[in-house]
Amino acid sequence: MRVRFAPSPTGYFHIGSARTALYNWLFARGRQGKFVLRIEDTDEVRSTVGSIKSIMKGLNYLGIDWDEGPAIVRDASGEDRLISKGEFGPYFQTLRKNFYNQWADKLLEKKKAYLCFCTKDELEDMRKKQIEKGERVGYDGRCRRLTPREREKFLSHGRTPVVRFAVPAGKRITFSDSIRGEISVNSEEISDFVILRANGTPMYNFACVVDDHMMKISDVIRGEDHISNTPKQILIYEALGWDIPNFAHLTMILDVDGRRLSKRKGARSLLEYEDDGFVREALVNYLALLGWGTKESQNIFDVGELVSKFSLGRCTSSSAIFDNQKLLWLNAQHIKKLSAAEIYRRSYRILKEAGLDVYPAEKVQAAISLEREKIKKLSDIPNLIGFMLAEKVEYDKDVLALGGDCAEVLKGLLKLMKNIEIFKSAEIEKEVRRFSKENNLKTKFVFHPLRWAVSGRSRGPSLFEMCEFMGREKVVERISVFLEKIEKGGRGELL
RNA sequence: GCCCUCAUCGUCUAACGGUUAGGACGCCAGGCUCUCAAUCUGGUAAUAGGGGUUCGAUUCCCCUUGAGGGCACCA
């Protein structure tokens, strides 16, 4: 059992491609198959090396590894270079031209393909007329029965031909899609399509079939947008006398407006999700759920579970809308399963970029522990814990306004804090509660001001743990600073 | 225009032809609580429309509508 993920390296690596890769990978890993990565870079104008690298980086991020395909090696001069690993390589289509030529010749020989000398203008003209007359658009096969003499004439005029596949007439082409069941189309609907360009490079449908055959791909799992390519490819398989693989077509992923995911709306590079603080576990889990589900509608999976439970038969056949909310929820769920040390490790870069002091690690991890259940994305962390690590507090406006009434309470707390014997959360809590009781104050009129003074905010971690974490010195200092700030406006009427 | 595919709460989805149409996200209400969260409980909300087949259709068939994809010397 062998499957492949065959992206074209144009532009960035997006969510839809990532899901296709994931499903192929899950399928292979779940049944001791091989997962092949093949780069479909026959469009020499649009393909870029940068895009190849971002695809590989994206797969790495998701934890999707491939058994055969491109690999990066560092050569003697320290340059990164792309090479192919695996026995059926190379895995870049630009490096496989000889194969395509060879098999195209075979088709030519068998008269299942022919040379076409039509110019772009002629084709455009033909197309226009077809639309005017309301006919089917597509090549009319005019070069199919060129005499040898006519062919010579074109050649001598310097016209470089393309190779077109000769689609058999009146043939019903049927295949069984593992997700959708039987799909069938009449060959009359398919016009003779180009398999080799004038410059000798192959077109997608041809390269794809040659490679899938030569790489012994048994199951082709790809996007729905390839359904209408499948009959063409089947014709090529048949013309060459090759076995036809199984096909499975995944649904499209749509944006919130129900439109195809596009750059402008919702669709982002997979790597942006990483930068934004989504963990791979969540992305993999979410992507798996977008077009597949279990009988129990289970929501949370780890990768191992997905591998063992995934099947094509339970893939959905209607397109799905990408829902950021659910992704976010899943992200929070998976982050909760990570240890503070692991969260620290994964958010290290984000913390650093946010200007946080990331050392000592234990201290930052302890801060993370205090706020971990609030983390929805790793990028939330700086805002969540930054104030605990910072030298100076920044006070929220509403906090300063509210604090005005609490000067007396805070003066009392200041004294209290200085005198607490053991500066641990349980002890602090006990003392502060006692203080409240002694002064006949409701605890909330004590707790809140303390929080405002110490954190500058009205929301944050568990109060006493936060105090313990910051330490007596910092707590005392912050209360003093806060007192100074509110002294002018404060009425102190609570005590 | 022609061809292909699809159609259950707002969203992701579940339901051998027989269920009060289930779960999850979101949203709303409440519990817990030092705030915010987390968590727990409850609530909101769906079979696109019309015809068949059947004792009985979300489920099978047809039509309509809607959505998506394809019809390149793009992939």
Side-chain angles (χ1 to χ4, degrees):
Chain A
M1 208 235 58
R2 294 169 56 84
V3 298
R4 51 40 167 211
F5 171 56
S8 67
T10 54
Y12 56 84
F13 186 40
H14 57 86
I15 283 291
S17 304
R19 190 194 52 169
T20 302
L22 175 66
Y23 283 28
N24 273 285
W25 183 83
L26 289 173
F27 187 72
R29 292 293 173 259
R31 52 209 84 207
Q32 291 81 44
K34 293 285 186 213
F35 176 66
V36 177
L37 175 59
R38 180 176 76 226
I39 304 298
E40 308 219 325
D41 52 358
T42 58
D43 184 344
E44 289 170 333
V45 182
R46 295 196 298 153
S47 298
T48 64
V49 177
S51 178
I52 296 176
K53 286 184 177 166
S54 88
I55 289 166
M56 294 169 73
K57 209 173 157 195
L59 292 174
N60 285 331
Y61 162 48
L62 292 178
I64 296 175
D65 56 341
W66 53 100
D67 303 300
E68 300 166 26
I72 294 178
V73 291
R74 187 151 292 182
D75 64 17
S77 60
E79 285 290 288
D80 279 349
R81 289 179 16 143
L82 282 166
I83 59 156
S84 285
K85 281 177 81 173
E87 57 177 311
F88 300 99
Y91 296 91
F92 301 87
Q93 290 189 325
T94 42
L95 267 29
R96 301 174 61 82
K97 280 183 188 166
N98 52 331
F99 295 131
Y100 309 129
N101 280 320
Q102 173 194 325
W103 292 113
D105 284 346
K106 193 83 174 180
L107 286 173
L108 249 13
E109 214 174 90
K110 293 169 109 173
K111 300 268 186 277
K112 310 243 171 162
Y114 60 92
L115 299 181
C116 167
F117 294 89
C118 293
T119 61
K120 289 226 166 102
D121 288 345
E122 285 169 337
L123 294 173
E124 188 56 37
D125 197 48
M126 178 179 71
R127 199 186 155 80
K128 236 180 236 164
K129 284 186 178 139
Q130 286 166 337
I131 292 172
E132 268 171 32
K133 290 192 206 159
E135 290 173 358
R136 250 196 318 273
V137 294
Y139 188 65
D140 61 7
R142 61 180 66 165
C143 284
R144 201 151 162 170
R145 276 184 207 82
L146 247 34
T147 61
R149 185 174 302 170
E150 287 168 312
R151 218 168 336 196
E152 286 310 314
K153 201 174 147 197
F154 276 128
L155 253 13
S156 67
H157 279 84
R159 284 214 198 177
T160 48
V162 299
V163 179
R164 279 185 191 275
F165 186 80
V167 175
K171 193 173 169 313
R172 192 95 211 152
I173 307 157
T174 304
F175 67 98
S176 174
D177 187 287
S178 306
I179 296 171
R180 296 153 200 277
E182 199 162 274
I183 295 175
S184 134
V185 66
N186 198 301
S187 69
E188 301 298 328
E189 304 298 335
I190 305 169
S191 60
D192 294 351
F193 53 94
V194 175
I195 58 174
L196 233 49
R197 297 185 181 96
N199 69 7
T201 59
M203 290 289 285
Y204 166 73
N205 280 306
F206 185 58
C208 179
V209 169
V210 168
D211 290 346
D212 283 342
H213 170 74
M214 295 186 76
M215 295 178 183
K216 296 186 162 36
I217 300 302
S218 59
D219 295 80
V220 174
I221 305 168
R222 73 227 302 195
E224 190 179 25
D225 47 340
H226 288 292
I227 290 181
S228 41
N229 284 320
T230 308
K232 295 180 189 171
Q233 298 182 3
I234 287 175
L235 289 174
I236 299 174
Y237 279 105
E238 286 175 343
L240 257 7
W242 292 343
D243 287 342
I244 297 166
N246 298 318
F247 292 101
H249 290 94
L250 271 19
T251 62
M252 300 270 93
I253 300 178
L254 310 176
D255 67 21
V256 279
D257 298 328
R259 311 204 58 85
R260 191 174 183 177
L261 228 44
S262 69
K263 237 176 239 184
R264 304 174 45 207
K265 262 260 152 104
R268 297 182 297 168
S269 158
L270 186 73
L271 295 172
E272 283 180 53
Y273 285 93
E274 181 177 25
D275 292 341
D276 204 13
F278 286 93
V279 297
R280 65 159 63 98
E281 290 88 340
L283 230 6
V284 164
N285 191 158
Y286 182 67
L287 253 20
L289 248 27
L290 211 56
W292 170 86
T294 60
K295 192 167 183 175
E296 303 79 25
S297 291
Q298 183 180 339
N299 284 289
I300 299 179
F301 294 87
D302 61 44
V303 185
E305 250 178 318
L306 288 173
V307 166
S308 64
K309 291 187 178 172
F310 180 81
S311 73
L312 291 174
R314 290 203 65 89
C315 284
T316 314
S317 48
S318 58
S319 43
I321 291 174
F322 193 89
D323 180 13
N324 279 303
Q325 300 258 44
K326 188 150 185 179
L327 204 213
L328 200 58
W329 174 76
L330 272 172
N331 201 46
Q333 296 300 314
H334 280 98
I335 288 173
K336 271 191 243 298
K337 292 185 178 182
L338 267 25
S339 68
E342 180 65 10
I343 294 173
Y344 170 76
R345 194 181 68 73
R346 295 201 197 194
S347 57
Y348 184 85
R349 216 184 69 217
I350 287 171
L351 299 177
K352 218 167 168 179
E353 277 168 11
L356 258 65
D357 195 359
V358 290
Y359 296 109
E362 295 72 29
K363 185 167 183 185
V364 180
Q365 286 171 23
I368 289 172
S369 295
L370 291 184
E371 288 290 74
R372 52 174 305 148
E373 74 274 15
K374 246 169 270 183
I375 305 170
K376 290 199 183 297
K377 303 186 284 188
L378 297 179
S379 54
D380 294 339
I381 301 177
N383 181 48
L384 251 18
I385 67 167
F387 71 93
M388 287 189 274
L389 302 165
E391 279 305 310
K392 290 181 76 176
V393 208
E394 285 178 28
Y395 296 93
D396 287 351
K397 270 205 195 82
D398 56 328
V399 162
L400 281 173
L402 289 164
D405 290 338
C406 314
E408 293 308 316
V409 175
L410 287 167
K411 279 176 191 165
L413 284 172
L414 183 60
K415 200 172 164 195
L416 181 83
M417 289 298 176
K418 283 178 179 164
N419 296 326
I420 288 176
E421 272 182 53
I422 309 160
F423 209 74
K424 293 272 185 203
S425 74
E427 187 74 10
I428 301 169
E429 177 165 4
K430 204 177 83 189
E431 289 299 317
V432 173
R433 282 188 189 280
R434 195 171 54 75
F435 169 85
S436 309
K437 203 168 181 184
E438 278 171 5
N439 292 287
N440 204 23
L441 287 163
K442 284 193 173 175
T443 52
K444 65 175 176 182
F445 292 121
V446 179
F447 292 174
H448 291 337
L450 178 57
R451 173 182 300 285
W452 300 334
V454 162
S455 71
R457 311 172 166 208
S458 56
R459 34 172 67 180
S462 173
L463 181 58
F464 306 107
E465 286 181 42
M466 176 168 73
C467 288
E468 176 184 330
F469 173 83
M470 293 197 292
R472 189 199 308 271
E473 196 182 326
K474 211 167 194 172
V475 168
V476 166
E477 185 201 320
R478 285 189 177 186
I479 295 176
S480 311
V481 171
F482 190 68
L483 272 169
E484 275 171 38
K485 279 204 183 278
I486 61 174
E487 207 72 292
K488 317 153 206 161
R491 299 190 297 279
E493 61 194 24
L494 279 174
L495 193 70

